[in-house]
């Protein structure tokens, strides 16, 4: 058995944490400064993580490689499994031209690209995050914006920044459910506090989006509908997470936010031509006046309605139990790891949810979609294979980054970094969201970051006299702000809009927003730990 050590470098927690951060720093520098392609940066970062785990943290080579292999499998299933199937559904709608009908339908809501960004990236993206998560919202929303005439880089940046407020309750509440499981705190308690933090992001993100689309003019001219959308989204997310169900929080927020946005007269007002000319690339199809038969419009919306229906059905207790029976649980080979406390870590046992995972549910919805929109079986199969081929570099990037995350986690590197943050004492409340942000930046998943650091946050909170629920929630709420800079999300965005190899360009554009919003969340959590905003907590 390999027992993780928190201070393997010179018996110093600070030096050990500095060494442990080398893999992540390597990836971010190669992406942002060197402008290396993401799959190469991910592989180099993985190599650094393996060397640090072996040489500095003393993890046997065989177990280090086994940990990386488990990360590869997790990257393939469930993460890329859900992304591939979600993009497969999209490709089928493109082939049958139902995507054009859907695009025209969204375009008729408003011809103002700033409003279109809110409808598609913020509201529709939140719905996709609620149902699928794991990169699908960024991929699909980026493509839709490009189809409406957005510059590919701008479309990707807008979609990445928009994919923040709904993430903590994404994939039918998977991140907060995982957080409750690893911390031992009641789900309702955790979801309630998260639901009093992330809605604050929803208030400002729509304003940031219209600024990203059209600068100061966009903010000046469209702040009322953006604010209405953000407030409606925030109120619905707060109400659902606190009084209804964490699993339904994002679905309610997305639908209420979209409804409120469309109800604002200013949102439906035609945009000035200078605005369209400045924002759009000129490749936008001028076909919004084309009337589509109602039957075809319904078929265009059918894929997403089917996804909602399939995921909703999967939450029915008897169905959920039936799907859970297909889960395979087994000891992961060549892995025997204990935490610093000597207790075996959960990763020694691997769980493979064959039917209950989001990717399989999207696949099932896609099969029904093929029938509804008239795609033959052979054509659907070829489109699926083409999707895998299109995402081959994204798959390589995601698997290498997840392998890196698992090596860092199981060798003790992540725990050392977490412990150094937890040692902050009075500053723990301020730094708590940073830990979640770091976890998501590495793994690309708020769920993984919660599994990684959730229990540590609770332990540190109890030692310092802070609220365990507050710091556990802060881990998830801070984590959502790391998603836009995670290598796997950057790669998915680039692959979706044809910018393969330009992940570094996107990183430089979204990093300031990630850090700025993270600072806001740190200040909010710190204030919630005192009398200043302590009244916000239940």
């Amino acid at each position: 058995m390999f027992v993780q050590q928190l201070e393997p470098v010179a018996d110093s927690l600070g030096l050990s944490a500095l060494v442990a951060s080398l893999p992540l720093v390597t990836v971010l520098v190669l992406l942002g400064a060197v402008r290396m392609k993401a799959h190469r940066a991910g592989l180099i970062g993985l190599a650094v993580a393996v060397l640090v785990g072996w040489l500095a943290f003393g993890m046997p080579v065989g177990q280090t490689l086994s940990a990386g292999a488990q990360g590869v499998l997790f990257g393939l299933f469930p993460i890329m499994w859900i992304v591939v199937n979600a993009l497969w559904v999209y490709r089928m709608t493109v082939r049958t031209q139902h995507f054009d009908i859907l695009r025209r339908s969204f375009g008729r809501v408003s011809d103002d690209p700033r409003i279109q960004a809110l409808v598609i990236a913020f509201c529709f993206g939140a719905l996709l995050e609620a149902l699928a998560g794991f990169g699908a919202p960024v991929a699909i929303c980026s493509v839709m914006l490009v189809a409406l005439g957005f510059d590919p880089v701008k479309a990707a940046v807008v979609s990445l920044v928009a994919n923040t407020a709904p993430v903590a309750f994404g994939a039918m509440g998977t991140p907060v459910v995982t957080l409750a499981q690893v911390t031992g705190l009641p789900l309702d308690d955790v979801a309630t506090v998260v639901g009093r933090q992330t809605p604050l992001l929803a208030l400002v993100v729509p304003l940031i989006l219209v600024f990203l689309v059209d600068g100061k003019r966009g903010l000046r001219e469209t702040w009322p509908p953006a604010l209405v959308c953000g407030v409606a989204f925030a109120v619905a997310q707060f109400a659902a997470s606190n009084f209804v169900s964490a699993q339904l929080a994002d679905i309610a927020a997305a639908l209420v936010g979209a409804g409120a946005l469309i109800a604002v007269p200013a949102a439906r007002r035609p945009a000035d031509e200078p605005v369209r000319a400045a924002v759009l690339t000129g490749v936008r199809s001028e076909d919004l006046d084309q009337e589509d038969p109602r039957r075809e419009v319904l078929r265009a919306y059918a894929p997403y309605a089917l996804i909602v229906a399939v995921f909703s059905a999967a939450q029915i207790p008897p169905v959920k139990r039936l799907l859970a029976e297909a889960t395979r649980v087994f000891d992961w080979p060549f892995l025997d790891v204990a935490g610093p406390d000597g207790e075996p870590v959960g990763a020694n046992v691997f769980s493979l949810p064959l039917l209950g995972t989001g990717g399989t549910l999207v696949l099932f919805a896609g099969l029904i979609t093929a029938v509804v929109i008239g795609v033959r079986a052979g054509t659907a199969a070829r489109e699926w294979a083409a999707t895998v081929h299109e995402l081959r570099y994204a798959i390589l990037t995601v698997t290498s980054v997840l392998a890196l995350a698992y090596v860092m986690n199981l060798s003790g590197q992540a725990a050392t970094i977490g412990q150094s943050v937890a040692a902050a004492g009075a500053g723990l409340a301020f730094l708590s969201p940073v830990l979640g942000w770091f976890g998501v930046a590495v793994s690309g998943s708020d769920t993984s970051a919660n599994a990684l650091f959730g229990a540590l946050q609770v332990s540190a909170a109890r030692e310092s006299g802070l609220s365990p629920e507050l710091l556990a929630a802060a881990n998830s709420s801070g984590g959502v702000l790391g998603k836009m800079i995670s290598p796997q999300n950057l790669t998915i965005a680039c692959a979706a809009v044809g910018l393969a190899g330009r992940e570094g360009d996107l990183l430089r554009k979204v990093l300031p927003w990630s850090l700025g919003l993270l600072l806001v969340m740190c200040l909010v959590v710190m204030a919630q730990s005192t009398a200043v905003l302590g009244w916000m907590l239940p």
Side-chain angles (χ1 to χ4, degrees), residues 419-431:
Q419 195 68 35
S420 68
V421 174
L428 179 58
F430 180 83
L431 292 176

Side-chain angles (χ1 to χ4, degrees), residues 8 75 94 102 105 159-160 164 168 184 211 229 254 322 350 372 389 396 428 434 443 466 494 508:
V94 171
L102 183 67
S105 179
S159 298
L160 286 165
T164 49
F211 177 80
C229 178
L322 182 64
F350 192 78
V372 171
H389 182 265
L396 180 57
L428 179 58
V434 177
S443 67
L466 295 171
C494 285
R508 284 188 294 277

Side-chain angles (χ1 to χ4, degrees), residues 166-192:
V167 169
F169 297 104
M172 303 304 294
T174 299
V176 290
V177 170
T178 301
L179 185 60
Q181 290 173 341
V182 300
T183 59
L185 299 172
L187 173 60
D188 289 344
D189 292 355
V190 173
T192 294

Side-chain angles (χ1 to χ4, degrees), residues 6 12-13 25 63 78-79 103-104 109 138 172 212 220 236 257 276 279 287 289 336 409-410 445 474 522 524:
L6 294 177
S12 167
L13 183 62
V25 172
Q63 295 212 49
I79 292 181
R103 175 180 59 80
R104 286 193 289 268
V109 172
V138 169
M172 303 304 294
L212 286 172
R220 183 176 64 251
R276 290 196 295 267
V279 173
D287 60 353
D289 293 332
D336 188 11
N409 184 18
L410 292 170
S445 165
C522 289
V524 167

Side-chain angles (χ1 to χ4, degrees), residues 369-396:
T369 294
V371 176
V372 171
I373 65 177
V375 178
R376 294 179 180 274
T379 302
R382 285 191 294 273
E383 288 295 336
W384 194 91
T387 303
V388 173
H389 182 265
E390 180 184 345
L391 291 175
R392 61 193 184 280
Y393 291 118
I395 292 171
L396 180 57

Side-chain angles (χ1 to χ4, degrees), residues 404-426:
L404 176 154
Y406 270 65
V407 170
M408 290 187 66
N409 184 18
L410 292 170
S411 66
Q413 296 173 58
T416 295
I417 294 170
Q419 195 68 35
S420 68
V421 174

Side-chain angles (χ1 to χ4, degrees), residues 123-312:
C123 296
F124 186 58
L127 182 61
L128 292 173
E129 180 67 35
L131 300 172
F134 296 111
V138 169
I140 294 175
C141 292
S142 297
V143 171
M144 292 186 73
L145 291 175
V146 169
L148 284 170
F150 277 66
D151 172 75
V153 172
K154 184 169 289 187
V157 170
V158 166
S159 298
L160 286 165
V161 174
N163 191 220
T164 49
V167 169
F169 297 104
M172 303 304 294
T174 299
V176 290
V177 170
T178 301
L179 185 60
Q181 290 173 341
V182 300
T183 59
L185 299 172
L187 173 60
D188 289 344
D189 292 355
V190 173
T192 294
V193 180
V194 175
R196 299 176 189 219
Q197 293 172 344
T198 56
L200 299 176
L201 296 176
L203 296 176
V204 299
V205 168
L207 297 171
I208 294 174
L209 296 182
V210 296
F211 177 80
L212 286 172
V213 172
D214 195 29
K216 293 180 180 178
R217 176 178 59 185
L219 193 58
R220 183 176 64 251
E221 295 181 358
T222 55
W223 70 264
L227 187 60
V228 167
C229 178
V231 169
F233 186 103
V235 170
Q237 191 182 61
F238 161 75
S241 61
N242 276 259
F243 307 114
V244 184
S245 165
Q247 287 86 348
L248 299 177
D250 278 349
I251 294 177
L255 297 178
V256 171
L261 176 62
I262 295 171
V264 178
R268 301 192 303 274
R269 190 178 304 141
D272 295 334
E273 189 57 40
V275 171
R276 290 196 295 267
V279 173
L280 303 179
T281 62
V283 301
R284 181 187 185 191
S285 301
E286 299 299 332
D287 60 353
L288 295 184
D289 293 332
Q290 178 180 335
E291 287 296 328
D292 296 305
R294 180 176 296 274
R295 179 172 179 269
E296 294 305 313
V297 172
L298 292 175
R299 292 174 75 188
Y301 279 91
Y304 305 101
L306 285 168
I307 290 175
V308 172
V310 169
F311 273 83
S312 299

